Amino acid sequence: MEIKLKDFIKPSQITAFVNFNGSFKNLESNQKIFYVLDDKKSHDKIVRDYFIEKIIDFSESKFQDACKMVLLDYSILDKNWNQLSKTEMKRLQFVEALLNRSETILFQNFELGFYGKDRSYYQKLFVKLTKYGKCILCFTNDITFLFGMVTNFILFRENDYIFVNDFYEDEIYQYIEMPPIISLIKNLNQKNIKLGSYIETKEVLKAIYRSVNAGDKL
């Protein structure tokens, strides 16, 4: 279904969208909104030449600072865009959004291809950017990427959408895969072992430890 992005743009806020099947690849980025997508973009140019063309006041020092911020090797400046991996392209789009000073940055499936510390870093970076007035629109089917970033999100269904404020809401998992941590807690709840609606592994382990000490059988 189609949506009007302007209805969801709010400065200093992250708005998350789950199970959205639309595409943004034909939309042009600008200073109002920048689209960081999971599609491989074809630009038969050296990255340096591309940025000199796209960014009016392009500065290599600012480019280097932006690369550090998004965990991208500065040497990418001398590579051909078409030789980059998908994750490099996403990071590079992120850099362009920052150098472009776009007020809103839209990320679609950005987390795909990133693991462990990198994912955690980007979650914290998104939050940090809102402290500087940025609006972040995050489109994903990976609920775990939203943990710690938002407390509610928009779930798209067949013909409409609803606002969800509980990661344990059963309806969510009619549309997307349930994370292992939520599946575990739900299974324990069914066994009458109430651990609470945790979303962090360390908190689940603490709760299990307390439950075992209390005499519950897992």
Side-chain angles (χ1 to χ4, degrees), residues 18-213:
V18 173
N19 195 46
F20 179 77
N21 295 316
S23 173
F24 303 105
K25 65 181 181 180
N26 294 323
L27 299 180
E28 289 291 331
S29 296
N30 51 60
Q31 283 197 316
K32 287 291 184 181
I33 183 169
F34 199 100
Y35 303 92
V36 178
L37 310 180
D38 190 42
D39 299 320
K40 292 201 72 170
K41 292 182 176 293
S42 179
H43 300 299
D44 192 17
K45 295 181 179 180
I46 300 300
V47 171
R48 182 194 309 275
D49 295 336
Y50 172 86
F51 273 85
I52 290 175
E53 177 184 311
K54 287 290 185 178
I55 306 299
I56 296 175
D57 57 347
F58 177 72
S59 160
E60 287 197 23
S61 63
K62 290 181 180 179
F63 179 86
Q64 186 170 10
D65 290 341
C67 283
K68 289 179 181 178
M69 184 179 292
V70 307
L71 306 180
L72 182 62
D73 193 319
Y74 171 65
S75 64
I76 200 169
L77 196 60
D78 295 314
K79 294 183 178 180
N80 185 294
W81 190 293
N82 285 339
Q83 296 177 335
L84 305 180
S85 68
K86 186 177 285 189
T87 53
E88 285 177 321
M89 286 187 180
K90 286 193 285 192
R91 285 173 165 144
L92 202 51
Q93 290 176 68
F94 198 168
V95 166
E96 186 177 353
L98 295 174
L99 295 182
N100 198 52
R101 302 186 185 91
S102 296
E103 298 170 9
T104 297
I105 307 179
L106 183 153
F107 296 90
Q108 188 173 37
N109 299 323
F110 180 79
E111 75 286 348
L112 295 180
F114 298 118
Y115 305 94
K117 292 182 179 179
D118 283 358
R119 279 172 59 106
S120 177
Y121 174 84
Y122 291 124
Q123 289 170 312
K124 294 174 183 175
L125 180 56
F126 285 7
V127 173
K128 184 176 181 179
L129 288 174
T130 64
K131 307 299 183 184
Y132 294 91
K134 298 288 187 185
C135 171
I136 303 296
L137 303 181
C138 183
F139 289 76
T140 181
N141 283 347
D142 185 346
I143 287 289
T144 63
F145 189 60
L146 303 181
F147 291 172
M149 284 205 308
V150 299
T151 56
N152 57 75
F153 59 90
I154 299 165
L155 174 68
F156 286 83
R157 303 186 293 191
E158 287 84 355
N159 301 306
D160 64 0
Y161 60 81
I162 59 173
F163 289 83
V164 179
N165 59 14
D166 182 1
F167 290 112
Y168 280 78
E169 174 62 49
D170 288 332
E171 185 173 5
I172 302 169
Y173 306 109
Q174 294 177 20
Y175 301 96
I176 64 169
E177 184 177 355
M178 183 182 296
I181 190 170
I182 291 181
S183 177
L184 171 63
I185 296 296
K186 282 182 173 289
N187 287 335
L188 291 175
N189 286 342
Q190 290 176 356
K191 296 177 181 179
N192 205 32
I193 300 173
K194 308 299 183 182
L195 297 183
S197 300
Y198 297 108
I199 56 175
E200 293 187 20
T201 302
K202 63 180 180 180
E203 295 302 327
V204 172
L205 294 175
K206 289 179 183 178
I208 291 175
Y209 179 78
R210 290 193 297 269
S211 182
V212 170
N213 284 344

